[in-house]
Structure formats: structure tokens, C-alpha cells
Amino acid sequence: MACLFCSIVAGDIPSRQVYADEHAIAFLDIGPWKRGHTLVIPRRHVDDVLAADEALTEIAPAIGATARLLTDRLGADGLNMLSSAGPVAGQEVFHLHVHLVPRYAGDPGLRRLFDRDPSIDLDEVYAAITGP
Ligand code: ZN
């Protein structure tokens, strides 16, 4: 069965990639909860953190670098980091991914974290992160 995120790693499906290293890539989530919502994934296929917890160690440098990139470039005041394992936890794509969600002073708290924001312009956010 084809894996959506393996196809993104292979470049067969386009993404707004904001970071890449030997073990991981990071790209903007297409259904962002907040401005700059990004997914960090291992280049190799791993179902979730329970299936191969060492994969989290492999992508840890990418998580840190991407978190700093997002907060620096977008002027975020904080950040949430989240990974789901299994359908019961709400996982929808079964390739390990860590959500990095920049947070802003005007929209605080955990309760509103998961509200999708259709007003976010992904091309504008991508340019803000990767531009000069
Ligand atoms: Zn995969």
C-alpha cells in the first residue's frame, strides 16, 4: 500500500518543504491548525513512535532545528509539539510524524490547538519561512 509521506519524501507528491537533513524532512501541513503548522517526518518509513522509538532520536535534530526556524521566522511566542500513535490517538497518516505548531500571544492555550484555520495562506507562510 502506498504511503503518502513516503511519496512526499521521494518527491512524487509536492510539499512546501522548510527543512531537510540526512534523516528527516519538514514540510507545511496542508490543513494547518495555526500559522506555520509543520510536520517533521523520518525519511525512512516508520508507522509511528511505538513501532520504532529510535526513529524519534533520528529526527530529534530536525525537530529542534525546525522549531527554532519556525519561531524565528514567523515571530511565534511559543510552540506545541505532538505526535499521535494509532487510530485511537487520532493518527491519520501512518508514517511517523511530529506536529510543530507555532503559537501566538493573541491565540493562547491548549483547548484551541486543534481548530483548523482555513484563512491561513500556505504560500505566504512558506515564503515567510524560506524567503530572504
Ligand atoms: Zn511512509
Side-chain angles (χ1 to χ4, degrees), residues 79-92:
L79 178 126
N80 291 107
M81 181 172 73
L82 172 81
S83 188
S84 305
V88 72
Q91 187 179 13
E92 293 177 341

PDB file of all heavy atoms in Angstrom, residues 79-92:
ATOM      1  N   LEU A  79       5.319  27.276  21.089  1.00  0.00           N
ATOM      2  CA  LEU A  79       5.162  26.194  20.123  1.00  0.00           C
ATOM      3  C   LEU A  79       4.628  24.949  20.823  1.00  0.00           C
ATOM      4  O   LEU A  79       5.003  24.662  21.960  1.00  0.00           O
ATOM      5  CB  LEU A  79       6.541  25.900  19.507  1.00  0.00           C
ATOM      6  CG  LEU A  79       6.626  24.773  18.495  1.00  0.00           C
ATOM      7  CD1 LEU A  79       7.248  25.288  17.201  1.00  0.00           C
ATOM      8  CD2 LEU A  79       7.482  23.633  19.021  1.00  0.00           C
ATOM      9  N   ASN A  80       3.744  24.220  20.149  1.00  0.00           N
ATOM     10  CA  ASN A  80       3.333  22.897  20.612  1.00  0.00           C
ATOM     11  C   ASN A  80       3.987  21.843  19.731  1.00  0.00           C
ATOM     12  O   ASN A  80       4.137  22.040  18.526  1.00  0.00           O
ATOM     13  CB  ASN A  80       1.811  22.716  20.524  1.00  0.00           C
ATOM     14  CG  ASN A  80       1.057  23.563  21.518  1.00  0.00           C
ATOM     15  OD1 ASN A  80       0.425  24.544  21.144  1.00  0.00           O
ATOM     16  ND2 ASN A  80       1.133  23.198  22.776  1.00  0.00           N
ATOM     17  N   MET A  81       4.346  20.708  20.346  1.00  0.00           N
ATOM     18  CA  MET A  81       4.926  19.570  19.635  1.00  0.00           C
ATOM     19  C   MET A  81       4.097  18.349  20.002  1.00  0.00           C
ATOM     20  O   MET A  81       3.835  18.108  21.183  1.00  0.00           O
ATOM     21  CB  MET A  81       6.379  19.389  20.081  1.00  0.00           C
ATOM     22  CG  MET A  81       7.108  18.279  19.414  1.00  0.00           C
ATOM     23  SD  MET A  81       8.869  18.306  19.851  1.00  0.00           S
ATOM     24  CE  MET A  81       8.781  17.744  21.535  1.00  0.00           C
ATOM     25  N   LEU A  82       3.656  17.590  18.973  1.00  0.00           N
ATOM     26  CA  LEU A  82       2.728  16.492  19.230  1.00  0.00           C
ATOM     27  C   LEU A  82       2.931  15.387  18.201  1.00  0.00           C
ATOM     28  O   LEU A  82       3.137  15.667  17.021  1.00  0.00           O
ATOM     29  CB  LEU A  82       1.290  17.021  19.104  1.00  0.00           C
ATOM     30  CG  LEU A  82       0.167  15.999  19.140  1.00  0.00           C
ATOM     31  CD1 LEU A  82      -0.141  15.627  20.590  1.00  0.00           C
ATOM     32  CD2 LEU A  82      -1.075  16.527  18.475  1.00  0.00           C
ATOM     33  N   SER A  83       2.871  14.129  18.660  1.00  0.00           N
ATOM     34  CA  SER A  83       2.865  13.005  17.732  1.00  0.00           C
ATOM     35  C   SER A  83       1.844  11.983  18.215  1.00  0.00           C
ATOM     36  O   SER A  83       1.794  11.668  19.405  1.00  0.00           O
ATOM     37  CB  SER A  83       4.261  12.359  17.651  1.00  0.00           C
ATOM     38  OG  SER A  83       4.280  11.398  16.626  1.00  0.00           O
ATOM     39  N   SER A  84       1.027  11.484  17.300  1.00  0.00           N
ATOM     40  CA  SER A  84      -0.007  10.511  17.639  1.00  0.00           C
ATOM     41  C   SER A  84       0.414   9.139  17.144  1.00  0.00           C
ATOM     42  O   SER A  84       1.008   9.016  16.078  1.00  0.00           O
ATOM     43  CB  SER A  84      -1.333  10.911  16.978  1.00  0.00           C
ATOM     44  OG  SER A  84      -1.691  12.228  17.341  1.00  0.00           O
ATOM     45  N   ALA A  85       0.081   8.101  17.914  1.00  0.00           N
ATOM     46  CA  ALA A  85       0.396   6.723  17.535  1.00  0.00           C
ATOM     47  C   ALA A  85      -0.888   5.898  17.567  1.00  0.00           C
ATOM     48  O   ALA A  85      -1.427   5.629  18.636  1.00  0.00           O
ATOM     49  CB  ALA A  85       1.454   6.139  18.470  1.00  0.00           C
ATOM     50  N   GLY A  86      -1.360   5.525  16.378  1.00  0.00           N
ATOM     51  CA  GLY A  86      -2.527   4.667  16.285  1.00  0.00           C
ATOM     52  C   GLY A  86      -3.825   5.429  16.069  1.00  0.00           C
ATOM     53  O   GLY A  86      -3.941   6.590  16.466  1.00  0.00           O
ATOM     54  N   PRO A  87      -4.789   4.757  15.434  1.00  0.00           N
ATOM     55  CA  PRO A  87      -6.079   5.399  15.150  1.00  0.00           C
ATOM     56  C   PRO A  87      -6.777   5.916  16.401  1.00  0.00           C
ATOM     57  O   PRO A  87      -7.407   6.977  16.379  1.00  0.00           O
ATOM     58  CB  PRO A  87      -6.898   4.278  14.503  1.00  0.00           C
ATOM     59  CG  PRO A  87      -5.893   3.320  13.955  1.00  0.00           C
ATOM     60  CD  PRO A  87      -4.711   3.396  14.874  1.00  0.00           C
ATOM     61  N   VAL A  88      -6.651   5.193  17.505  1.00  0.00           N
ATOM     62  CA  VAL A  88      -7.335   5.611  18.726  1.00  0.00           C
ATOM     63  C   VAL A  88      -6.790   6.946  19.240  1.00  0.00           C
ATOM     64  O   VAL A  88      -7.489   7.685  19.946  1.00  0.00           O
ATOM     65  CB  VAL A  88      -7.244   4.505  19.808  1.00  0.00           C
ATOM     66  CG1 VAL A  88      -5.830   4.397  20.368  1.00  0.00           C
ATOM     67  CG2 VAL A  88      -8.253   4.746  20.910  1.00  0.00           C
ATOM     68  N   ALA A  89      -5.555   7.273  18.850  1.00  0.00           N
ATOM     69  CA  ALA A  89      -4.943   8.542  19.258  1.00  0.00           C
ATOM     70  C   ALA A  89      -5.180   9.645  18.232  1.00  0.00           C
ATOM     71  O   ALA A  89      -4.704  10.762  18.405  1.00  0.00           O
ATOM     72  CB  ALA A  89      -3.446   8.344  19.478  1.00  0.00           C
ATOM     73  N   GLY A  90      -5.887   9.292  17.157  1.00  0.00           N
ATOM     74  CA  GLY A  90      -6.186  10.300  16.144  1.00  0.00           C
ATOM     75  C   GLY A  90      -5.187  10.354  15.009  1.00  0.00           C
ATOM     76  O   GLY A  90      -5.247  11.264  14.176  1.00  0.00           O
ATOM     77  N   GLN A  91      -4.267   9.389  14.941  1.00  0.00           N
ATOM     78  CA  GLN A  91      -3.314   9.364  13.822  1.00  0.00           C
ATOM     79  C   GLN A  91      -4.070   9.097  12.526  1.00  0.00           C
ATOM     80  O   GLN A  91      -4.927   8.206  12.463  1.00  0.00           O
ATOM     81  CB  GLN A  91      -2.259   8.269  14.053  1.00  0.00           C
ATOM     82  CG  GLN A  91      -1.136   8.295  13.013  1.00  0.00           C
ATOM     83  CD  GLN A  91      -0.070   7.223  13.271  1.00  0.00           C
ATOM     84  OE1 GLN A  91      -0.270   6.309  14.074  1.00  0.00           O
ATOM     85  NE2 GLN A  91       1.052   7.336  12.584  1.00  0.00           N
ATOM     86  N   GLU A  92      -3.769   9.881  11.493  1.00  0.00           N
ATOM     87  CA  GLU A  92      -4.473   9.751  10.212  1.00  0.00           C
ATOM     88  C   GLU A  92      -3.566   9.271   9.089  1.00  0.00           C
ATOM     89  O   GLU A  92      -4.026   8.621   8.149  1.00  0.00           O
ATOM     90  CB  GLU A  92      -5.110  11.094   9.835  1.00  0.00           C
ATOM     91  CG  GLU A  92      -6.235  11.483  10.803  1.00  0.00           C
ATOM     92  CD  GLU A  92      -6.840  12.845  10.511  1.00  0.00           C
ATOM     93  OE1 GLU A  92      -6.193  13.657   9.807  1.00  0.00           O
ATOM     94  OE2 GLU A  92      -7.951  13.104  10.987  1.00  0.00           O
TER      95      GLU A  92
END
